Amino acid sequence: MTVAAILSGKGHETITAKSDALLSEIAETLAKNKIGAVVVCAGDNSIQGIVSERDIVRVVGTQGASALSLPVSSVMTKDVVTCAEENSVNEVMARMTQGRFRHMPVVKDGKLTGVISIGDVVKFKIAQVELEAEQMRSYISMT
């Protein structure tokens, strides 16, 4: 199974921000949309970085509330690990676990086309296991 299968179920909608957005605006966007990360993009939808709840908590914890006035560009992760729709779910799960991050932008031709979270991956894997179990039960009951 591939990332494309996850996106076909959840959709390609993404929440993005520009690099000059303030951390307070990013925090508001995260809360309003009930998401854990925002991808920072240029006008052509190329990825410049990603900022998560953890990034905001880390900087507020070290610099205090005044950090919310910083531009996201000063806090975001600039070396973003991405995947393509063709990547396998297992490969993406392994990369997220190894890198200790929970959100991965999906790109095509260098442009953002979606975002998947570790929660999306786990939900997909659980559904896959449940389907396999049901198929096994059906097979066993036929014999």
Side-chain angles (χ1 to χ4, degrees):
M1 292 298 180
T2 63
V3 170
I6 293 174
L7 289 177
S8 70
K10 79 171 270 186
H12 290 264
E13 182 184 351
T14 57
I15 305 294
T16 62
K18 294 189 190 289
S19 61
D20 61 350
L22 300 179
L23 278 187
S24 60
E25 296 169 325
I26 300 297
E28 184 180 326
T29 298
L30 292 172
K32 176 182 171 190
N33 293 286
K34 298 179 182 175
I35 56 175
V38 171
V39 181
V40 180
C41 291
D44 65 352
N45 226 25
S46 61
I47 298 173
Q48 295 180 311
I50 190 167
V51 64
S52 70
E53 296 166 319
R54 287 179 174 181
D55 297 324
I56 295 171
V57 168
R58 194 173 295 120
V59 73
V60 169
T62 58
Q63 297 182 25
S66 64
L68 293 172
S69 298
L70 294 172
V72 69
S73 60
S74 68
V75 177
M76 69 186 185
T77 300
K78 294 179 177 133
D79 189 19
V80 181
V81 177
T82 64
C83 64
E85 290 189 21
E86 299 80 29
N87 289 118
S88 76
V89 172
N90 288 340
E91 179 185 356
V92 168
M93 186 169 54
R95 289 169 68 192
M96 288 176 146
T97 302
Q98 182 179 28
R100 297 185 55 107
F101 54 87
R102 296 187 268 178
H103 299 86
M104 185 180 283
V106 182
V107 296
K108 183 174 184 176
D109 300 324
K111 308 293 184 215
L112 180 67
T113 61
V115 176
I116 59 171
S117 70
I118 194 68
D120 297 327
V121 172
V122 169
K123 180 180 174 184
F124 182 82
K125 293 290 283 182
I126 289 171
Q128 189 177 26
V129 168
E130 287 175 348
L131 176 63
E132 290 172 3
E134 181 57 38
Q135 290 172 338
M136 290 294 283
R137 282 191 287 275
S138 294
Y139 176 75
I140 292 169
S141 68
M142 289 182 359
T143 58

PDB file of all heavy atoms in Angstrom, residues 4 12 20 22 48 52 62 64 69 74 86 88 99 102 106-107 118 135-136 138 142-143:
ATOM      1  N   ALA A   4      -0.464   7.216  -1.687  1.00  0.00           N
ATOM      2  CA  ALA A   4      -1.625   7.584  -2.505  1.00  0.00           C
ATOM      3  C   ALA A   4      -2.917   7.006  -1.928  1.00  0.00           C
ATOM      4  O   ALA A   4      -3.963   7.663  -1.962  1.00  0.00           O
ATOM      5  CB  ALA A   4      -1.436   7.112  -3.947  1.00  0.00           C
ATOM      6  N   HIS A  12      -6.382  15.719  -0.267  1.00  0.00           N
ATOM      7  CA  HIS A  12      -5.120  16.415  -0.517  1.00  0.00           C
ATOM      8  C   HIS A  12      -5.078  17.811   0.109  1.00  0.00           C
ATOM      9  O   HIS A  12      -4.100  18.530  -0.080  1.00  0.00           O
ATOM     10  CB  HIS A  12      -4.890  16.543  -2.028  1.00  0.00           C
ATOM     11  CG  HIS A  12      -4.593  15.234  -2.698  1.00  0.00           C
ATOM     12  ND1 HIS A  12      -3.309  14.802  -2.946  1.00  0.00           N
ATOM     13  CD2 HIS A  12      -5.399  14.246  -3.160  1.00  0.00           C
ATOM     14  CE1 HIS A  12      -3.341  13.624  -3.540  1.00  0.00           C
ATOM     15  NE2 HIS A  12      -4.610  13.259  -3.675  1.00  0.00           N
ATOM     16  N   ASP A  20       6.926  34.588   6.502  1.00  0.00           N
ATOM     17  CA  ASP A  20       6.918  35.796   7.333  1.00  0.00           C
ATOM     18  C   ASP A  20       5.775  35.804   8.353  1.00  0.00           C
ATOM     19  O   ASP A  20       5.644  36.749   9.136  1.00  0.00           O
ATOM     20  CB  ASP A  20       6.872  37.061   6.468  1.00  0.00           C
ATOM     21  CG  ASP A  20       5.628  37.147   5.589  1.00  0.00           C
ATOM     22  OD1 ASP A  20       4.875  36.156   5.496  1.00  0.00           O
ATOM     23  OD2 ASP A  20       5.417  38.216   4.985  1.00  0.00           O
ATOM     24  N   LEU A  22       3.815  35.159  11.741  1.00  0.00           N
ATOM     25  CA  LEU A  22       4.284  35.139  13.120  1.00  0.00           C
ATOM     26  C   LEU A  22       3.905  33.816  13.786  1.00  0.00           C
ATOM     27  O   LEU A  22       2.899  33.190  13.423  1.00  0.00           O
ATOM     28  CB  LEU A  22       3.675  36.294  13.911  1.00  0.00           C
ATOM     29  CG  LEU A  22       3.982  37.698  13.402  1.00  0.00           C
ATOM     30  CD1 LEU A  22       3.289  38.742  14.278  1.00  0.00           C
ATOM     31  CD2 LEU A  22       5.485  37.949  13.354  1.00  0.00           C
ATOM     32  N   GLN A  48       9.258  25.443   1.924  1.00  0.00           N
ATOM     33  CA  GLN A  48      10.375  26.146   2.541  1.00  0.00           C
ATOM     34  C   GLN A  48      10.678  25.597   3.926  1.00  0.00           C
ATOM     35  O   GLN A  48      11.792  25.733   4.419  1.00  0.00           O
ATOM     36  CB  GLN A  48      10.058  27.633   2.652  1.00  0.00           C
ATOM     37  CG  GLN A  48       9.923  28.326   1.310  1.00  0.00           C
ATOM     38  CD  GLN A  48       9.619  29.802   1.466  1.00  0.00           C
ATOM     39  OE1 GLN A  48       8.721  30.164   2.223  1.00  0.00           O
ATOM     40  NE2 GLN A  48      10.348  30.622   0.752  1.00  0.00           N
ATOM     41  N   SER A  52       5.771  22.672  13.759  1.00  0.00           N
ATOM     42  CA  SER A  52       4.817  21.854  14.494  1.00  0.00           C
ATOM     43  C   SER A  52       4.534  22.462  15.859  1.00  0.00           C
ATOM     44  O   SER A  52       5.213  23.392  16.302  1.00  0.00           O
ATOM     45  CB  SER A  52       5.363  20.435  14.674  1.00  0.00           C
ATOM     46  OG  SER A  52       6.443  20.446  15.590  1.00  0.00           O
ATOM     47  N   THR A  62      11.779  28.090  25.972  1.00  0.00           N
ATOM     48  CA  THR A  62      13.130  28.627  26.180  1.00  0.00           C
ATOM     49  C   THR A  62      13.186  30.150  26.139  1.00  0.00           C
ATOM     50  O   THR A  62      14.002  30.757  26.813  1.00  0.00           O
ATOM     51  CB  THR A  62      14.116  28.059  25.138  1.00  0.00           C
ATOM     52  OG1 THR A  62      13.658  28.379  23.824  1.00  0.00           O
ATOM     53  CG2 THR A  62      14.277  26.560  25.290  1.00  0.00           C
ATOM     54  N   GLY A  64      10.207  32.267  26.251  1.00  0.00           N
ATOM     55  CA  GLY A  64       9.048  32.916  26.835  1.00  0.00           C
ATOM     56  C   GLY A  64       8.019  33.304  25.791  1.00  0.00           C
ATOM     57  O   GLY A  64       8.189  33.078  24.588  1.00  0.00           O
ATOM     58  N   SER A  69       6.083  36.384  18.819  1.00  0.00           N
ATOM     59  CA  SER A  69       6.224  37.496  17.877  1.00  0.00           C
ATOM     60  C   SER A  69       7.292  37.227  16.819  1.00  0.00           C
ATOM     61  O   SER A  69       7.497  38.053  15.928  1.00  0.00           O
ATOM     62  CB  SER A  69       6.588  38.783  18.626  1.00  0.00           C
ATOM     63  OG  SER A  69       5.559  39.119  19.515  1.00  0.00           O
ATOM     64  N   SER A  74      12.179  31.722  11.493  1.00  0.00           N
ATOM     65  CA  SER A  74      13.262  31.600  12.467  1.00  0.00           C
ATOM     66  C   SER A  74      13.126  30.355  13.344  1.00  0.00           C
ATOM     67  O   SER A  74      14.048  30.022  14.080  1.00  0.00           O
ATOM     68  CB  SER A  74      13.322  32.851  13.342  1.00  0.00           C
ATOM     69  OG  SER A  74      12.184  32.941  14.168  1.00  0.00           O
ATOM     70  N   GLU A  86       3.969   7.579  -4.387  1.00  0.00           N
ATOM     71  CA  GLU A  86       4.388   6.227  -4.734  1.00  0.00           C
ATOM     72  C   GLU A  86       5.074   5.506  -3.587  1.00  0.00           C
ATOM     73  O   GLU A  86       5.250   4.285  -3.628  1.00  0.00           O
ATOM     74  CB  GLU A  86       5.348   6.264  -5.932  1.00  0.00           C
ATOM     75  CG  GLU A  86       4.747   6.839  -7.199  1.00  0.00           C
ATOM     76  CD  GLU A  86       4.712   8.376  -7.204  1.00  0.00           C
ATOM     77  OE1 GLU A  86       5.572   9.016  -6.557  1.00  0.00           O
ATOM     78  OE2 GLU A  86       3.802   8.935  -7.836  1.00  0.00           O
ATOM     79  N   SER A  88       5.797   3.572  -0.152  1.00  0.00           N
ATOM     80  CA  SER A  88       4.968   2.626   0.593  1.00  0.00           C
ATOM     81  C   SER A  88       4.662   3.177   1.978  1.00  0.00           C
ATOM     82  O   SER A  88       5.424   3.969   2.536  1.00  0.00           O
ATOM     83  CB  SER A  88       5.679   1.275   0.717  1.00  0.00           C
ATOM     84  OG  SER A  88       6.708   1.347   1.681  1.00  0.00           O
ATOM     85  N   GLY A  99      13.099   9.409  12.208  1.00  0.00           N
ATOM     86  CA  GLY A  99      13.336  10.842  12.327  1.00  0.00           C
ATOM     87  C   GLY A  99      12.659  11.494  13.521  1.00  0.00           C
ATOM     88  O   GLY A  99      12.877  12.672  13.799  1.00  0.00           O
ATOM     89  N   ARG A 102       6.155  13.646  13.256  1.00  0.00           N
ATOM     90  CA  ARG A 102       4.812  13.089  13.093  1.00  0.00           C
ATOM     91  C   ARG A 102       4.084  13.555  11.838  1.00  0.00           C
ATOM     92  O   ARG A 102       2.981  13.091  11.581  1.00  0.00           O
ATOM     93  CB  ARG A 102       3.971  13.435  14.318  1.00  0.00           C
ATOM     94  CG  ARG A 102       4.503  12.810  15.579  1.00  0.00           C
ATOM     95  CD  ARG A 102       3.581  13.008  16.724  1.00  0.00           C
ATOM     96  NE  ARG A 102       3.946  14.224  17.449  1.00  0.00           N
ATOM     97  CZ  ARG A 102       3.298  14.683  18.482  1.00  0.00           C
ATOM     98  NH1 ARG A 102       2.219  14.075  18.907  1.00  0.00           N
ATOM     99  NH2 ARG A 102       3.699  15.755  19.091  1.00  0.00           N
ATOM    100  N   VAL A 106       3.752  15.578   1.348  1.00  0.00           N
ATOM    101  CA  VAL A 106       3.785  14.756   0.142  1.00  0.00           C
ATOM    102  C   VAL A 106       4.034  15.702  -1.026  1.00  0.00           C
ATOM    103  O   VAL A 106       3.346  16.724  -1.159  1.00  0.00           O
ATOM    104  CB  VAL A 106       2.452  14.000  -0.057  1.00  0.00           C
ATOM    105  CG1 VAL A 106       2.513  13.104  -1.284  1.00  0.00           C
ATOM    106  CG2 VAL A 106       2.098  13.197   1.196  1.00  0.00           C
ATOM    107  N   VAL A 107       5.012  15.384  -1.858  1.00  0.00           N
ATOM    108  CA  VAL A 107       5.370  16.270  -2.962  1.00  0.00           C
ATOM    109  C   VAL A 107       5.306  15.542  -4.303  1.00  0.00           C
ATOM    110  O   VAL A 107       5.486  14.328  -4.380  1.00  0.00           O
ATOM    111  CB  VAL A 107       6.775  16.886  -2.778  1.00  0.00           C
ATOM    112  CG1 VAL A 107       6.837  17.776  -1.564  1.00  0.00           C
ATOM    113  CG2 VAL A 107       7.840  15.829  -2.700  1.00  0.00           C
ATOM    114  N   ILE A 118       1.496  10.626  11.306  1.00  0.00           N
ATOM    115  CA  ILE A 118       1.664   9.271  11.816  1.00  0.00           C
ATOM    116  C   ILE A 118       0.301   8.694  12.194  1.00  0.00           C
ATOM    117  O   ILE A 118       0.062   7.500  12.040  1.00  0.00           O
ATOM    118  CB  ILE A 118       2.679   9.214  12.987  1.00  0.00           C
ATOM    119  CG1 ILE A 118       3.096   7.778  13.283  1.00  0.00           C
ATOM    120  CG2 ILE A 118       2.147   9.913  14.216  1.00  0.00           C
ATOM    121  CD1 ILE A 118       3.925   7.115  12.221  1.00  0.00           C
ATOM    122  N   GLN A 135     -11.064 -11.127   6.137  1.00  0.00           N
ATOM    123  CA  GLN A 135     -10.889 -12.037   5.007  1.00  0.00           C
ATOM    124  C   GLN A 135     -10.492 -13.438   5.486  1.00  0.00           C
ATOM    125  O   GLN A 135     -10.966 -14.436   4.940  1.00  0.00           O
ATOM    126  CB  GLN A 135      -9.847 -11.478   4.037  1.00  0.00           C
ATOM    127  CG  GLN A 135     -10.343 -10.259   3.292  1.00  0.00           C
ATOM    128  CD  GLN A 135      -9.262  -9.577   2.471  1.00  0.00           C
ATOM    129  OE1 GLN A 135      -8.082  -9.738   2.733  1.00  0.00           O
ATOM    130  NE2 GLN A 135      -9.682  -8.804   1.487  1.00  0.00           N
ATOM    131  N   MET A 136      -9.638 -13.503   6.508  1.00  0.00           N
ATOM    132  CA  MET A 136      -9.242 -14.795   7.064  1.00  0.00           C
ATOM    133  C   MET A 136     -10.440 -15.495   7.694  1.00  0.00           C
ATOM    134  O   MET A 136     -10.635 -16.701   7.516  1.00  0.00           O
ATOM    135  CB  MET A 136      -8.131 -14.618   8.105  1.00  0.00           C
ATOM    136  CG  MET A 136      -6.802 -14.209   7.515  1.00  0.00           C
ATOM    137  SD  MET A 136      -6.101 -15.480   6.473  1.00  0.00           S
ATOM    138  CE  MET A 136      -5.475 -16.604   7.697  1.00  0.00           C
ATOM    139  N   SER A 138     -13.578 -15.115   6.922  1.00  0.00           N
ATOM    140  CA  SER A 138     -14.447 -15.556   5.833  1.00  0.00           C
ATOM    141  C   SER A 138     -13.903 -16.809   5.163  1.00  0.00           C
ATOM    142  O   SER A 138     -14.653 -17.729   4.857  1.00  0.00           O
ATOM    143  CB  SER A 138     -14.590 -14.446   4.782  1.00  0.00           C
ATOM    144  OG  SER A 138     -15.255 -13.342   5.307  1.00  0.00           O
ATOM    145  N   MET A 142     -15.600 -20.716   5.263  1.00  0.00           N
ATOM    146  CA  MET A 142     -15.980 -21.385   3.993  1.00  0.00           C
ATOM    147  C   MET A 142     -15.453 -22.814   3.948  1.00  0.00           C
ATOM    148  O   MET A 142     -15.967 -23.626   3.206  1.00  0.00           O
ATOM    149  CB  MET A 142     -15.425 -20.601   2.797  1.00  0.00           C
ATOM    150  CG  MET A 142     -16.142 -19.299   2.604  1.00  0.00           C
ATOM    151  SD  MET A 142     -15.624 -18.275   1.184  1.00  0.00           S
ATOM    152  CE  MET A 142     -14.315 -19.135   0.397  1.00  0.00           C
ATOM    153  N   THR A 143     -14.437 -23.100   4.729  1.00  0.00           N
ATOM    154  CA  THR A 143     -13.853 -24.447   4.640  1.00  0.00           C
ATOM    155  C   THR A 143     -14.450 -25.417   5.623  1.00  0.00           C
ATOM    156  O   THR A 143     -15.164 -25.178   6.487  1.00  0.00           O
ATOM    157  CB  THR A 143     -12.326 -24.389   4.892  1.00  0.00           C
ATOM    158  OG1 THR A 143     -12.081 -23.820   6.160  1.00  0.00           O
ATOM    159  CG2 THR A 143     -11.664 -23.641   3.789  1.00  0.00           C
TER     160      THR A 143
END
